Amino acid sequence: MSLDFMKGPLSYFSIIVILAKFMGKPIVLSSISLVHPETDLGKKHLKFILNNSNAVLVRENYSSSVAKSYIDNPKKIITLPDIAFALTKNESNESSIYIEKNKKYVGVNFRGLISQKIRTKMK
């Protein structure tokens, strides 16, 4: 990812995270694919975004491994190929993501990365 104009959204997403935190809103990164940024500044932005998110839902195992290399609390990372699997409460799994009805959320989606192997893993 590049930080040049229109080549990478990390600096813009950092601003969105700051605004959401300022307004006291939870941040859920949903259905994202991640790659390692090419610049040190990009790596700092990604670390900031991930660590200030309440939950990080990635599409495949590679994105999960990228997220784990930047995030302080890996329990926030869930590999989930589609957000629809998170819409119902799972009583048997305390760490499942549950999106409550009648609450407002802000979703941020990074650029896609095609994975050869997609597997659902709820932690």
Side-chain angles (χ1 to χ4, degrees), residues 9-20 41 44-46 48-49:
L10 291 177
S11 57
Y12 302 112
F13 289 149
S14 292
I15 293 169
I16 293 170
V17 167
I18 291 168
L19 290 172
L41 183 57
K44 288 179 184 178
H45 276 295
L46 184 57
F48 173 79
I49 293 164

mmCIF file of all heavy atoms in Angstrom, residues 9-20 41 44-46 48-49:
data_model
loop_
_atom_site.group_PDB
_atom_site.id
_atom_site.type_symbol
_atom_site.label_atom_id
_atom_site.label_comp_id
_atom_site.label_asym_id
_atom_site.label_seq_id
_atom_site.Cartn_x
_atom_site.Cartn_y
_atom_site.Cartn_z
ATOM 1 N N PRO A 9 -5.515 4.128 1.451
ATOM 2 C CA PRO A 9 -6.462 4.816 2.319
ATOM 3 C C PRO A 9 -6.068 4.890 3.797
ATOM 4 O O PRO A 9 -6.838 5.387 4.602
ATOM 5 C CB PRO A 9 -7.716 3.953 2.153
ATOM 6 C CG PRO A 9 -7.168 2.578 1.992
ATOM 7 C CD PRO A 9 -5.903 2.756 1.178
ATOM 8 N N LEU A 10 -4.893 4.405 4.174
ATOM 9 C CA LEU A 10 -4.585 4.285 5.596
ATOM 10 C C LEU A 10 -4.640 5.617 6.352
ATOM 11 O O LEU A 10 -5.152 5.660 7.471
ATOM 12 C CB LEU A 10 -3.226 3.619 5.794
ATOM 13 C CG LEU A 10 -3.174 2.143 5.414
ATOM 14 C CD1 LEU A 10 -1.764 1.591 5.564
ATOM 15 C CD2 LEU A 10 -4.148 1.338 6.243
ATOM 16 N N SER A 11 -4.136 6.677 5.776
ATOM 17 C CA SER A 11 -4.179 7.964 6.486
ATOM 18 C C SER A 11 -5.615 8.450 6.647
ATOM 19 O O SER A 11 -5.974 9.017 7.685
ATOM 20 C CB SER A 11 -3.329 9.008 5.768
ATOM 21 O OG SER A 11 -3.751 9.166 4.432
ATOM 22 N N TYR A 12 -6.458 8.194 5.659
ATOM 23 C CA TYR A 12 -7.869 8.577 5.756
ATOM 24 C C TYR A 12 -8.589 7.747 6.812
ATOM 25 O O TYR A 12 -9.398 8.261 7.574
ATOM 26 C CB TYR A 12 -8.573 8.432 4.400
ATOM 27 C CG TYR A 12 -7.933 9.257 3.321
ATOM 28 C CD1 TYR A 12 -7.266 8.647 2.261
ATOM 29 C CD2 TYR A 12 -7.980 10.648 3.367
ATOM 30 C CE1 TYR A 12 -6.664 9.405 1.270
ATOM 31 C CE2 TYR A 12 -7.376 11.412 2.383
ATOM 32 C CZ TYR A 12 -6.717 10.789 1.338
ATOM 33 O OH TYR A 12 -6.116 11.528 0.374
ATOM 34 N N PHE A 13 -8.291 6.438 6.860
ATOM 35 C CA PHE A 13 -8.915 5.572 7.868
ATOM 36 C C PHE A 13 -8.468 5.964 9.270
ATOM 37 O O PHE A 13 -9.233 5.857 10.227
ATOM 38 C CB PHE A 13 -8.617 4.109 7.582
ATOM 39 C CG PHE A 13 -9.341 3.565 6.376
ATOM 40 C CD1 PHE A 13 -8.773 2.567 5.617
ATOM 41 C CD2 PHE A 13 -10.583 4.045 6.001
ATOM 42 C CE1 PHE A 13 -9.425 2.047 4.507
ATOM 43 C CE2 PHE A 13 -11.241 3.548 4.890
ATOM 44 C CZ PHE A 13 -10.669 2.547 4.147
ATOM 45 N N SER A 14 -7.223 6.418 9.422
ATOM 46 C CA SER A 14 -6.759 6.875 10.729
ATOM 47 C C SER A 14 -7.585 8.061 11.208
ATOM 48 O O SER A 14 -7.947 8.139 12.384
ATOM 49 C CB SER A 14 -5.275 7.264 10.672
ATOM 50 O OG SER A 14 -4.467 6.126 10.470
ATOM 51 N N ILE A 15 -7.919 8.950 10.303
ATOM 52 C CA ILE A 15 -8.750 10.105 10.654
ATOM 53 C C ILE A 15 -10.152 9.652 11.067
ATOM 54 O O ILE A 15 -10.712 10.148 12.051
ATOM 55 C CB ILE A 15 -8.810 11.111 9.485
ATOM 56 C CG1 ILE A 15 -7.432 11.742 9.278
ATOM 57 C CG2 ILE A 15 -9.878 12.184 9.734
ATOM 58 C CD1 ILE A 15 -7.296 12.544 8.009
ATOM 59 N N ILE A 16 -10.716 8.697 10.352
ATOM 60 C CA ILE A 16 -12.040 8.167 10.704
ATOM 61 C C ILE A 16 -12.000 7.541 12.092
ATOM 62 O O ILE A 16 -12.911 7.729 12.903
ATOM 63 C CB ILE A 16 -12.524 7.155 9.649
ATOM 64 C CG1 ILE A 16 -12.799 7.872 8.325
ATOM 65 C CG2 ILE A 16 -13.777 6.426 10.129
ATOM 66 C CD1 ILE A 16 -13.041 6.939 7.150
ATOM 67 N N VAL A 17 -10.938 6.806 12.390
ATOM 68 C CA VAL A 17 -10.789 6.181 13.712
ATOM 69 C C VAL A 17 -10.714 7.257 14.798
ATOM 70 O O VAL A 17 -11.356 7.141 15.843
ATOM 71 C CB VAL A 17 -9.549 5.254 13.742
ATOM 72 C CG1 VAL A 17 -9.185 4.854 15.161
ATOM 73 C CG2 VAL A 17 -9.790 4.028 12.884
ATOM 74 N N ILE A 18 -9.947 8.302 14.565
ATOM 75 C CA ILE A 18 -9.836 9.395 15.535
ATOM 76 C C ILE A 18 -11.201 10.033 15.775
ATOM 77 O O ILE A 18 -11.596 10.271 16.925
ATOM 78 C CB ILE A 18 -8.806 10.447 15.063
ATOM 79 C CG1 ILE A 18 -7.396 9.855 15.118
ATOM 80 C CG2 ILE A 18 -8.900 11.720 15.906
ATOM 81 C CD1 ILE A 18 -6.345 10.686 14.407
ATOM 82 N N LEU A 19 -11.940 10.301 14.704
ATOM 83 C CA LEU A 19 -13.272 10.903 14.852
ATOM 84 C C LEU A 19 -14.228 9.988 15.610
ATOM 85 O O LEU A 19 -14.975 10.441 16.484
ATOM 86 C CB LEU A 19 -13.850 11.262 13.482
ATOM 87 C CG LEU A 19 -13.172 12.415 12.753
ATOM 88 C CD1 LEU A 19 -13.721 12.532 11.330
ATOM 89 C CD2 LEU A 19 -13.354 13.704 13.503
ATOM 90 N N ALA A 20 -14.223 8.695 15.300
ATOM 91 C CA ALA A 20 -15.100 7.746 15.990
ATOM 92 C C ALA A 20 -14.748 7.670 17.472
ATOM 93 O O ALA A 20 -15.644 7.652 18.327
ATOM 94 C CB ALA A 20 -15.006 6.366 15.341
ATOM 95 N N LEU A 41 5.540 4.606 7.762
ATOM 96 C CA LEU A 41 4.367 5.399 8.128
ATOM 97 C C LEU A 41 3.091 4.595 7.915
ATOM 98 O O LEU A 41 2.178 4.635 8.751
ATOM 99 C CB LEU A 41 4.319 6.705 7.322
ATOM 100 C CG LEU A 41 3.174 7.656 7.660
ATOM 101 C CD1 LEU A 41 3.197 8.040 9.144
ATOM 102 C CD2 LEU A 41 3.259 8.901 6.784
ATOM 103 N N LYS A 44 2.693 2.251 10.780
ATOM 104 C CA LYS A 44 2.220 2.959 11.985
ATOM 105 C C LYS A 44 0.722 3.226 11.902
ATOM 106 O O LYS A 44 0.004 3.084 12.889
ATOM 107 C CB LYS A 44 2.993 4.258 12.175
ATOM 108 C CG LYS A 44 4.422 4.048 12.618
ATOM 109 C CD LYS A 44 5.164 5.358 12.761
ATOM 110 C CE LYS A 44 6.623 5.116 13.106
ATOM 111 N NZ LYS A 44 7.378 6.359 13.216
ATOM 112 N N HIS A 45 0.260 3.642 10.727
ATOM 113 C CA HIS A 45 -1.177 3.879 10.533
ATOM 114 C C HIS A 45 -1.972 2.591 10.758
ATOM 115 O O HIS A 45 -2.988 2.597 11.452
ATOM 116 C CB HIS A 45 -1.475 4.409 9.130
ATOM 117 C CG HIS A 45 -1.317 5.873 8.968
ATOM 118 N ND1 HIS A 45 -2.103 6.785 9.618
ATOM 119 C CD2 HIS A 45 -0.465 6.594 8.199
ATOM 120 C CE1 HIS A 45 -1.749 8.008 9.277
ATOM 121 N NE2 HIS A 45 -0.744 7.918 8.410
ATOM 122 N N LEU A 46 -1.521 1.488 10.158
ATOM 123 C CA LEU A 46 -2.242 0.224 10.292
ATOM 124 C C LEU A 46 -2.271 -0.230 11.747
ATOM 125 O O LEU A 46 -3.310 -0.658 12.248
ATOM 126 C CB LEU A 46 -1.617 -0.858 9.408
ATOM 127 C CG LEU A 46 -2.339 -2.200 9.389
ATOM 128 C CD1 LEU A 46 -3.804 -2.033 8.958
ATOM 129 C CD2 LEU A 46 -1.618 -3.183 8.484
ATOM 130 N N PHE A 48 -2.123 1.683 14.396
ATOM 131 C CA PHE A 48 -3.041 2.592 15.088
ATOM 132 C C PHE A 48 -4.500 2.204 14.832
ATOM 133 O O PHE A 48 -5.312 2.124 15.753
ATOM 134 C CB PHE A 48 -2.792 4.035 14.632
ATOM 135 C CG PHE A 48 -3.789 5.019 15.163
ATOM 136 C CD1 PHE A 48 -3.680 5.497 16.457
ATOM 137 C CD2 PHE A 48 -4.842 5.452 14.375
ATOM 138 C CE1 PHE A 48 -4.602 6.395 16.965
ATOM 139 C CE2 PHE A 48 -5.770 6.351 14.870
ATOM 140 C CZ PHE A 48 -5.650 6.825 16.166
ATOM 141 N N ILE A 49 -4.819 1.943 13.582
ATOM 142 C CA ILE A 49 -6.198 1.594 13.205
ATOM 143 C C ILE A 49 -6.622 0.294 13.883
ATOM 144 O O ILE A 49 -7.693 0.215 14.492
ATOM 145 C CB ILE A 49 -6.319 1.477 11.671
ATOM 146 C CG1 ILE A 49 -6.133 2.842 11.012
ATOM 147 C CG2 ILE A 49 -7.667 0.874 11.276
ATOM 148 C CD1 ILE A 49 -5.859 2.773 9.514
#
